[in-house]
Amino acid sequence: MDNLICISMKGISKSYRHDAKTLQVLKHVNFQVGVGETCAIVGPSGSGKSTLLSIIGLLDFPDEGDYLLMGHSVANAQSDELAMLRKSEIGFVFQHYNLIARLSVLENVALPLRYRGVDRASALEQAMQMLGRVGMADRARFKSADLSGGQKQRVAIARALIGQPSLILADEPTGSLDSETAREILELLLSIQKEQRVTLLIVTHDNQVAHLMQKKIRVRGGRVEEMGASVL
Ligand SMILES: Nc1ncnc2c1ncn2[C@@H]1O[C@H](COP(=O)(O)OP(=O)(O)O)[C@@H](O)[C@H]1O
Ligand SMILES: [Mg+2]
């Protein structure tokens, strides 16, 4: 059944050093997320949600514990294998969009394919299709700086999904948007999530967002606990 598990964490711990002190952010964290599942990560500010997401996204590494991503053991992987896994399996969506301002919308979306060695013409063609899917085809030639927040997040979603990853990691993706735009962005993410059967993890402060996810986990005091739908 292992092939049905997207994320498996066992005994994951992570500390940061501040001057002479050690701050233990995650303490022996255990949890699993199935392939195609949606999961909200909630918890107070500073509790370690972004740290957890960085470890899941292979941007940071635990001090101890076992992390399997799509059945691949991360602890034993070489750095080039990790870079491959990150590029092929994971799409990121951030609160502040993280688009490259000097590139056009189309070029931003094509970038993950270019990093994988896809030729420019083919990458741009696929990017155009993806922009159509998120309702942004008519802005393809714009610079990202000239878009509204909601439009930037649509472009960021297209960029995250163009490589057909198995996992989307979204860190407060609606945190900078008004409530109406936030709802539209969430609906877009969830509809593409269903189409592509991609696993989706969202860090959120918004109870309504969390309620739309199948699984909810709370990070608190370094521990991760799974919650029932009514506990939030
Ligand atoms: N790179 C880092 N170096 C040192 N401390 C960090 C680093 N990243 C996060 N921290 C600390 O770890 C704790 C958890 O941070 P974070 O994961 O960003 O929390 P959250 O996303 O839940 O607000 C905070 O106290 C933060 O200051
Ligand atoms: Mg955070």
Side-chain angles (χ1 to χ4, degrees):
M1 296 296 276
D2 263 3
N3 59 343
L4 294 177
I5 303 295
C6 180
I7 295 164
S8 168
M9 293 202 145
K10 286 194 192 120
I12 294 289
S13 297
K14 178 74 183 177
S15 300
Y16 290 116
R17 291 203 148 275
H18 283 281
D19 305 321
K21 290 190 199 137
T22 300
L23 174 71
Q24 189 164 16
V25 179
L26 300 174
K27 298 174 186 167
H28 302 288
V29 164
N30 302 302
F31 74 96
Q32 291 191 332
V33 181
V35 169
E37 199 169 19
T38 59
C39 177
I41 301 175
V42 302
S45 194
S47 60
K49 303 180 298 297
S50 293
T51 300
L52 182 63
L53 218 63
S54 298
I55 292 172
I56 294 169
L58 309 176
L59 299 169
D60 202 348
F61 296 94
D63 302 324
E64 56 177 332
D66 293 324
Y67 169 30
L68 300 185
L69 172 62
M70 299 302 289
H72 300 277
S73 169
V74 168
N76 299 325
Q78 303 295 317
S79 62
D80 54 342
E81 279 178 76
L82 289 174
M84 263 288 260
L85 265 177
R86 197 186 306 122
K87 277 192 275 186
S88 64
E89 302 284 0
I90 306 172
F92 295 92
V93 180
F94 301 96
Q95 179 177 359
H96 299 293
Y97 325 115
N98 296 20
L99 299 173
I100 298 178
R102 68 189 156 75
L103 296 182
S104 71
V105 161
L106 187 66
E107 287 165 331
N108 267 282
V109 176
L111 216 51
L113 296 181
R114 297 289 287 144
Y115 284 144
R116 284 192 206 176
V118 174
D119 70 79
R120 183 176 159 81
S122 164
L124 292 179
E125 191 185 318
Q126 290 177 62
M128 199 61 207
Q129 280 176 18
M130 203 61 220
L131 279 175
R133 176 62 190 87
V134 300
M136 290 293 294
D138 59 343
R139 297 290 192 279
R141 304 287 163 198
F142 277 51
K143 292 279 188 279
S144 62
D146 297 329
L147 303 178
S148 71
Q151 290 172 334
K152 285 179 187 168
Q153 204 58 303
R154 284 175 184 272
V155 173
I157 289 169
R159 179 186 58 183
L161 283 152
I162 193 166
Q164 299 193 301
S166 45
L167 173 62
I168 295 290
L169 301 176
D171 199 343
E172 308 200 29
T174 59
S176 301
L177 304 174
D178 64 79
S179 59
E180 172 69 13
T181 308
R183 196 180 49 75
E184 287 170 15
I185 289 296
L186 194 71
E187 279 171 8
L188 177 67
L189 254 180
L190 282 173
S191 73
I192 301 181
Q193 181 272 329
K194 282 195 194 79
E195 272 165 36
Q196 299 197 0
R197 269 202 33 91
V198 58
T199 309
L200 174 66
L201 264 65
I202 290 192
V203 172
T204 184
H205 281 115
D206 183 337
N207 286 352
Q208 283 177 334
V209 173
H211 274 303
L212 289 169
M213 303 298 138
Q214 293 162 333
K215 176 180 268 192
K216 293 161 217 40
I217 61 175
R218 190 201 301 271
V219 186
R220 194 166 46 181
R223 310 276 179 186
V224 165
E225 60 202 39
E226 202 170 317
M227 301 184 294
S230 60
V231 185
L232 204 65

